[in-house]
């Protein structure tokens, strides 16, 4: 039965518009059992109603462009609109990934290959690594790629290593990635200074440890100064050091993971190097490696030829293969490229200086009101605790909900897991002193409200279309069906 019948049937339905028929469509045959028996139930609204509906929804959306978004560990900073513009250039946005690299297609693809190559070189310089793959699509994807590279290294050397060590403050993706790559994960406790307990670490480190995964500064916002010592101990046993680069904005231009002794690192371009993100995407998690791991990198890699042209290289017999289709999240790579060259060397250094200054400012202004998880100078984010408030029956979750009423996105709560009633605030480098001061005021006001009227905090939010949701039910029993109001 020819396709045009669908149109004929739907013509009788509620959406009366008859789409133009193409000969191609008309010639396709669709078996009867796949045809609709009755018209689709599509909502029928006028254009103006649709426009108002979507505008109304967009106004309810919260983003960095509307207000302060101090979600710790996520680096929700303002990103220059320039990056958006560059990633939309038609010469980039309209490229087909299968265009040839040279001759006719080269006129179209050489620029894109150059961007990938140059970004890779700049990231290598910033981090002190030998080479990068730009393929992974997120931080977690980069972690898995990195641990697969580690596994390939040990496999070839005949090392019988089965374990990965990670601190108990680690982001959940670290142990998850190591486990998916086939390792058993051993958790190392945090000491009283918020760093990895070095004595416990020494006890747990044996010849079966394939790698140690570290975030530095860690998820408590603290720099672990033992890291070089740990790297030496791990390398002595032919283990490898993995650097989770989600917090790179704290040390940008100040020190390089490669110089400290890390062998593999992932970066979250969407955290440190622009790209607005949230709700699961888009992202890019390029992975950098030291010399001895280069031969295992995923194919393809962009190389620069002697004549100055760029090409894709597939000739790496020991490669772990592909980890993503094509060349990574190219739009995100473009934004990182434009961000890095716009800021330049000095600009990147100012990023980390201001990120650290802002976090310490917020921390010191608030630590009398909410207890400090660790009362030490922090790096780019700080962790406060609502454990005093919890004694009055108000928990970190309630404070987060009340912040929504005050117009702010809540900080990360209940993470890192090692801090009771954790509230993890990352102001980022892009906020003004005025903005930080109004946020600090709001947090102080909430602390006073909790003293006098704790119930009102438990009732928050009251300014949103819905109050407290059953988040588990919302995630597990999703219902997307259209309901008549
Ligand atoms: C965000 C984050 C990750 C995971 O990165 P995604 O891009 O969200 O997959 C890993 N580790 C730390 C410390 C992070 O903050």
């Amino acid at each position: 039965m020819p396709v045009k019948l669908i149109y004929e049937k739907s013509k009788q339905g509620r959406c009366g518009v008859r789409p133009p028929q193409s000969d191609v469509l008309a010639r396709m045959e669709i078996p009867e059992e796949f045809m609709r028996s009755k018209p689709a139930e599509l909502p029928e609204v006028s254009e103006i109603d649709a426009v108002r509906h979507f505008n109304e929804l967009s106004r309810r959306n919260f983003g960095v462009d509307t207000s302060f978004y101090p979600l710790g560990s996520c680096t929700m900073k303002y990103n220059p609109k320039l990056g958006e513009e560059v990633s939309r250039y038609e010469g980039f946005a309209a490229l087909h990934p299968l265009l040839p690299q040279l001759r006719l297609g080269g006129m179209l693809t050489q620029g894109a290959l150059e961007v990938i190559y140059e970004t890779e070189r700049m990231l290598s310089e910033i981090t002190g690594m030998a080479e990068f793959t730009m393929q992974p699509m997120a931080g977690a994807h980069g972690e898995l790629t990195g641990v697969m590279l580690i596994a390939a290294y040990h496999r070839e050397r005949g090392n019988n290593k089965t374990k990965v060590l990670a601190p108990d403050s680690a982001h959940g993706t670290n142990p998850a990635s190591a486990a998916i790559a086939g390792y058993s994960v051993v958790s190392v406790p945090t000491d009283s200074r918020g760093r990895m307990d070095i004595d416990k670490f020494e006890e747990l480190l044996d010849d079966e440890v394939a790698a140690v995964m570290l975030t530095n500064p860690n998820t408590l916002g603290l720099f672990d100064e033992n890291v070089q010592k740990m790297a030496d101990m791990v390398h002595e046993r032919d283990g490898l050091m993995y650097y989770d680069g989600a917090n790179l904005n704290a040390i940008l231009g100040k020190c390089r993971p490669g110089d400290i002794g890390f062998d593999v690192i992932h970066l979250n371009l969407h955290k440190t190097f622009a790209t607005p993100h949230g709700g699961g995407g888009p992202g890019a998690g390029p992975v950098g490696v030291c010399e001895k791991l280069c031969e295992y990198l995923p194919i393809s890699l962009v190389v620069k030829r002697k004549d100055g042209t760029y090409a894709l290289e597939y000739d790496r017999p020991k490669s772990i293969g592909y980890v993503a289709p094509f060349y990574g999240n190219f739009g995100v790579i473009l934004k990182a490229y434009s961000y890095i060259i716009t800021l330049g060397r000095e600009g990147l250094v100012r990023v980390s200086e201001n990120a650290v200054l802002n976090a310490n400012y917020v921390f010191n202004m608030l630590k009398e009101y909410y207890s400090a998880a660790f009362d030490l100078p922090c790096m780019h984010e700080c962790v406060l605790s609502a454990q005093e408030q919890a004694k009055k029956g108000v928990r970190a979750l309630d404070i987060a909900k009340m912040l929504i009423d005050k117009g702010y996105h809540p900080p990360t709560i209940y993470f890192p897991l090692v801090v009771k009633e954790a509230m993890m605030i990352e102001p980022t480098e892009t906020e003004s002193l005025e903005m930080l001061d109004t946020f600090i005021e709001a947090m102080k006001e909430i602390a006073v409200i909790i003293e006098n009227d704790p119930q009102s905090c438990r009732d928050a939010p009251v300014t949103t279309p819905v109050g407290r949701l059953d988040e588990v039910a919302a995630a597990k029993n999703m219902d997307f069906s259209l309901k008549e109001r």
Side-chain angles (χ1 to χ4, degrees), residues 13-74:
R14 288 204 286 158
C15 39
V17 189
R18 187 176 179 168
Q21 290 193 25
S22 84
D23 285 353
V24 181
L25 273 180
R27 265 185 272 118
M28 282 167 56
E29 300 264 326
I30 294 181
E32 183 69 46
E33 67 259 38
F34 296 127
M35 302 294 285
R36 280 190 198 291
S37 57
K38 54 185 198 314
E41 277 191 42
L42 298 174
E44 200 162 331
V45 290
S46 64
E47 181 175 310
I48 181 70
D49 287 341
V51 167
R52 285 178 185 155
H53 172 70
F54 285 109
N55 267 307
E56 167 62 20
L57 286 183
S58 80
R59 273 206 295 265
R60 287 185 193 176
N61 236 345
F62 191 100
V64 181
D65 285 2
T66 53
S67 193
F68 187 48
Y69 204 138
L71 194 67
S73 210
C74 296

Side-chain angles (χ1 to χ4, degrees), residues 210-353:
V212 177
M213 293 180 92
L214 281 182
T215 312
N216 203 18
N218 64 21
T219 59
L220 293 156
L222 302 170
F223 190 89
D224 199 325
E225 66 287 330
N226 284 329
V227 60
Q228 213 147 13
K229 204 159 98 190
M230 292 181 211
D232 290 342
M233 284 155 62
V234 172
H235 288 148
E236 252 170 52
R237 294 169 181 272
D238 202 17
L240 296 172
M241 291 291 285
Y242 184 95
Y243 184 82
D244 176 330
N247 293 343
L248 192 78
N249 63 332
I251 58 165
L252 213 49
K254 296 288 180 184
C255 69
R256 308 194 306 168
D259 299 339
I260 297 174
F262 284 97
D263 304 289
V264 192
I265 120 171
H266 85 258
L267 300 177
N268 302 62
L269 293 188
H270 49 288
K271 292 181 182 173
T272 310
F273 298 103
T275 293
H277 63 107
V287 169
V289 292
C290 64
E291 288 297 343
K292 62 184 177 197
L293 293 172
C294 287
E295 54 187 339
Y296 308 107
L297 281 174
I299 48 169
S300 61
L301 288 144
V302 179
V303 291
K304 189 173 183 176
R305 294 196 174 124
K306 284 207 180 70
D307 65 1
T309 59
Y310 298 89
L312 292 169
E313 189 199 58
Y314 293 88
D315 185 22
R316 297 220 178 183
K318 293 182 185 168
S319 165
I320 60 166
Y322 288 92
V323 296
F326 304 111
Y327 326 107
N329 231 339
F330 184 55
V332 179
I333 297 170
L334 270 171
K335 285 176 201 153
Y337 176 77
S338 79
Y339 184 78
I340 294 170
I341 56 178
T342 305
L343 269 80
R345 260 170 219 280
E346 285 96 56
L348 291 177
V349 174
R350 280 210 307 278
V351 164
S352 56
E353 289 178 348

